[in-house]
Amino acid sequence: MTSDLSWMLEDIVQNVPRARHAVLLSADGLPRGATEDLDQKDVGTISAAMAGMQSLSRATAHFAGTAKDGQWSQTIIEFSHGWIFLIGAGQGAYLAAAAEPDVDMQQISFRMHRLVARLGNNLTSAPRVRADEGATGGAGEAARHEATSGSGFVLPALDRAIAEVRGARHAVLLGGDGLPLGATAGMPRDLADTISAAMTGIHAYSRVTAQFAGGVEDPSWRQTVIEFSHGWIFLIAAGDGAFLAAAAEHDCDIEEFTTRLHEVVPELTAQSPRVGGAADV
């Protein structure tokens, strides 16, 4: 681990109230620096999980929208006991930071991006990453396949929730086994399958990072949010091992969207007897 880079990461925890830790990692999951209060073993685990997280985040870009030049901006994980933020830090590098629940999110975001600019002398290239790099499939390809249809797969309650929010695009309900249980009308079935698999992995990586957000006996994951230059993706718990993944345009009212998603979850789970599985949120 490069000691000078580790020293630079201290800027976040020293200058942002309620910030806990920071880790700099390579795209292949190798740690390149960490704040001093993190155990070496934990740094390795966090780096590997964050590398997997960013790879899967980028692979979901076509779910957020069809922009050809869309860029992945950040991934945010919310727990009951804290937050984790992941952003690009130059060519093949990423910066992860953990904070307490009541951290000033604008302040920690500012500090993280300022640190990335300072790290530019050691890490070259712009901090953002093309979303289509490493993406599995694309919106154009997905659109050529048959859209979801037939009773039992299209979820009317989910359709209504999406229709009620300007800028909302589509959504899919998935079980703890990673299989789609239903989706909004018009969403290609192969896209539902691909997104369900990716989101299952994203949830698994999110859970691995729980100790990074803060050491508690019973950590509770709440949601994972992925921001692109062209849109948003939200993954939230839907009870009994199920999850709800939804996408929206970048100018969507995020607070309204997430509120509506949480409101529709009880209705979705009541309509889907297959909800359940081994996943423990």
Side-chain angles (χ1 to χ4, degrees):
M1 192 176 298
T2 309
S3 59
D4 62 328
L5 297 184
S6 295
W7 174 81
M8 293 179 73
L9 299 184
E10 296 293 337
D11 174 78
I12 294 176
V13 296
Q14 290 177 358
N15 293 291
V16 179
R18 298 178 178 81
R20 285 173 167 151
H21 318 287
V23 172
L24 183 69
L25 58 130
S26 64
D28 54 2
L30 296 177
R32 302 184 66 174
T35 45
E36 61 182 12
D37 55 344
L38 279 171
D39 183 85
Q40 184 79 9
K41 181 180 179 181
D42 292 337
V43 171
T45 300
I46 293 161
S47 297
M50 289 291 100
M53 176 71 73
Q54 62 83 21
S55 179
L56 283 177
S57 294
R58 290 162 54 195
T60 63
H62 55 297
F63 184 48
T66 58
K68 293 182 179 180
D69 59 347
Q71 294 177 320
W72 169 77
S73 298
Q74 64 177 334
T75 299
I76 302 172
I77 310 170
E78 181 186 4
F79 296 94
S80 59
H81 64 295
W83 298 87
I84 294 174
F85 306 86
L86 178 67
I87 66 172
Q91 182 63 40
Y94 299 89
L95 176 63
E100 297 177 19
D102 54 350
V103 70
D104 185 321
M105 296 182 70
Q106 289 187 333
Q107 185 178 13
I108 194 169
S109 177
F110 170 77
R111 284 283 177 176
M112 290 179 71
H113 283 90
R114 194 175 80 162
L115 177 58
V116 166
R118 290 177 59 199
L119 287 168
N121 294 328
N122 297 285
L123 304 169
T124 59
S125 188
R128 289 194 171 191
V129 181
R130 282 289 299 274
D132 56 358
E133 293 176 4
T136 56
E141 179 183 356
R144 290 193 291 269
H145 292 271
E146 183 178 358
T148 56
S149 60
S151 61
F153 195 78
V154 173
L155 299 174
L158 201 51
D159 269 342
R160 290 195 300 271
I162 295 298
E164 290 170 358
V165 181
R166 185 182 64 83
R169 292 180 54 83
H170 35 224
V172 57
L173 179 69
L174 56 142
D177 55 4
L179 297 178
L181 304 178
T184 46
M187 183 175 174
R189 182 59 187 259
D190 63 341
L191 178 58
D193 290 338
T194 300
I195 292 303
S196 295
M199 289 298 158
T200 300
I202 286 173
H203 171 255
Y205 282 127
S206 297
R207 290 179 59 202
V208 169
T209 64
Q211 293 302 313
F212 183 44
V216 296
E217 292 185 2
D218 188 22
S220 176
W221 169 81
R222 289 181 174 172
Q223 66 177 337
T224 298
V225 181
I226 309 170
E227 180 187 6
F228 298 92
S229 60
H230 63 295
W232 298 85
I233 293 175
F234 295 85
L235 180 67
I236 66 173
D240 295 329
F243 309 97
L244 178 61
E249 298 174 4
H250 202 268
D251 60 353
C252 175
D253 185 323
I254 301 306
E255 183 175 356
E256 179 186 7
F257 189 38
T258 55
T259 298
R260 191 66 189 94
L261 291 176
H262 282 91
E263 289 175 348
V264 79
V265 163
E267 186 175 356
L268 292 174
T269 53
Q271 292 176 352
S272 303
R274 288 172 50 214
V275 168
D280 179 15
V281 300

